[in-house]
Amino acid sequence: MTFNLKNHTMAAHIFREQGGNSLDTTGIFCFASKTSSVLKCLHVEDDLKEVQGQAVNAVNGMENPCYFQQPEVYPNVARPVSTPVPSPLQCRRLIKTKRILILQVNNEDPNILFDLFIFMQNSLIVQSEVSKDFFNCKHCFFQDTPPYLNGLTEQNSVQICQRHRSMLNRYFFAINYNRIHRIPHYSAYLIDSFDTGGKRHGSWLLEPQLADKGYSGDLVNDNNQPKYRDSQALDEDYKAGGYDRGHLNPSFYHRETNVARLVTNSLTNVAPQVGDFNKGIWNKLEISLYNAMNDSCNFAGAKRYFITGVVPSSGRTISNDRVNVPDYFWTAMCCDSSGANDPSKNMMGWSAAFIGGNMINSSIWVYTIEDFLNYLAKLLSSSNPKLFADYNNGETEIRNCLFNQRQASTMVNGIIRDNDRFENKSLFN
């Protein structure tokens, strides 16, 4: 990081640290007054309300905290078009809701060369939102319709929308979380882009609003904080459990940005997974489906929907019965071609479902969505489950996102052919 304080008015922008360090999961807000030779930085950390007074005192006497200097003032530093320009009032509200550590840097130090001050960074803007019936993230589901899993998700579950507090207020994916088992029922997500560049994160995040809806929606680093313990699994539950933290929404499906990968590291998006299964055949499935979508569903207007879930066990647990170990992991995918820009591709969509036992030397069973729903109903004791809503394109009713049976057969048989221990349980001919 380099400072070049050309005058004492405040400038700021979004800063992404290269190389990865503690700034990957925190942020620094810096400002200076016209009369002071000291640049003050607020190092924003996890919690929310304990030091509001300190935050308010920090900005007393400062001029225009959070004001963005116009690009022409610093012509060598372009402000990204997507960077929001908050008002002083918005900034004061921001500062009042963050825990801070005051740092001071003397701008006359010749070693300090800084072009811009740092304003919000990565997990500060990663949020979760307890949202009844997924009100704010229904776009994560085909036809904006969440699954119906009667008898499973209606009790002891909470709906979560994972979002990014940017100018677009983007919601990344949806989680239906089981408070009793402390694992997700399922995560629903899209592959938005096949771009790469985002880095994998090693830290694990918690959802404060599961403990108390009055808490902030900002995800926090898991420091084994007792106040969250009753509402969700903690990282300590996994450390001595002998199981991997198995992502339902895979991190590598979202490699377009650092933040897109970071949001998948909420512990509400993982369940205990046998290491051999996670790193072996389940990983092969995730890669195969990613490549299949890239090959067959990467045309303008296509959307790529996934629902990945688990089947809880009847008694297998870790951490003194705190966290359920699922018997099965499953994935249902849908290539939605209904919005294709090219009319000749409107009926090229396809769907399929995959399930594997959470055990060593497991196999993957492959189903049509219709056949999988019948199987899932038995596993979950659920009546008439539904994963993908029916759709009528004006001429044909599309059931279970199966636009094109031949395309589904081609893609599924290719996946089975390329992987050992993948078994076709439906009529993909």
Side-chain angles (χ1 to χ4, degrees), residues 83-96:
T83 303
V85 182
S87 68
L89 177 60
Q90 289 172 320
C91 286
R92 289 181 185 275
R93 288 174 178 168
L94 168 72
I95 294 169
K96 287 179 182 179

Side-chain angles (χ1 to χ4, degrees), residues 254-329:
H254 310 285
R255 290 178 290 179
E256 61 268 24
T257 66
N258 287 336
V259 171
R261 297 197 75 173
L262 177 64
V263 295
T264 67
N265 269 29
S266 167
L267 285 169
T268 55
N269 180 47
V270 304
Q273 196 167 30
V274 171
D276 175 82
F277 178 58
N278 180 34
K279 299 179 181 70
I281 198 168
W282 189 256
N283 183 55
K284 289 181 180 179
L285 173 64
E286 291 176 332
I287 294 171
S288 294
L289 295 184
Y290 182 89
N291 291 337
M293 283 295 203
N294 197 3
D295 292 340
S296 69
C297 201
N298 193 14
F299 48 87
K303 293 183 179 179
R304 300 162 288 268
Y305 293 95
F306 286 82
I307 304 171
T308 300
V310 300
V311 177
S313 66
S314 60
R316 191 164 48 145
T317 63
I318 58 174
S319 193
N320 295 320
D321 295 331
R322 275 183 42 80
V323 182
N324 186 275
V325 178
D327 281 340
Y328 297 91
F329 281 70

Side-chain angles (χ1 to χ4, degrees), residues 172-188:
F172 279 83
F173 68 105
I175 302 170
N176 192 304
Y177 191 72
N178 186 317
R179 296 179 190 262
I180 304 301
H181 291 321
R182 298 187 180 90
I183 55 174
H185 288 300
Y186 61 78
S187 292

Side-chain angles (χ1 to χ4, degrees), residues 211-226:
D212 188 326
K213 289 185 179 180
Y215 288 161
S216 165
D218 292 356
L219 271 69
V220 298
N221 286 323
D222 182 351
N223 297 318
N224 296 320
Q225 301 175 61

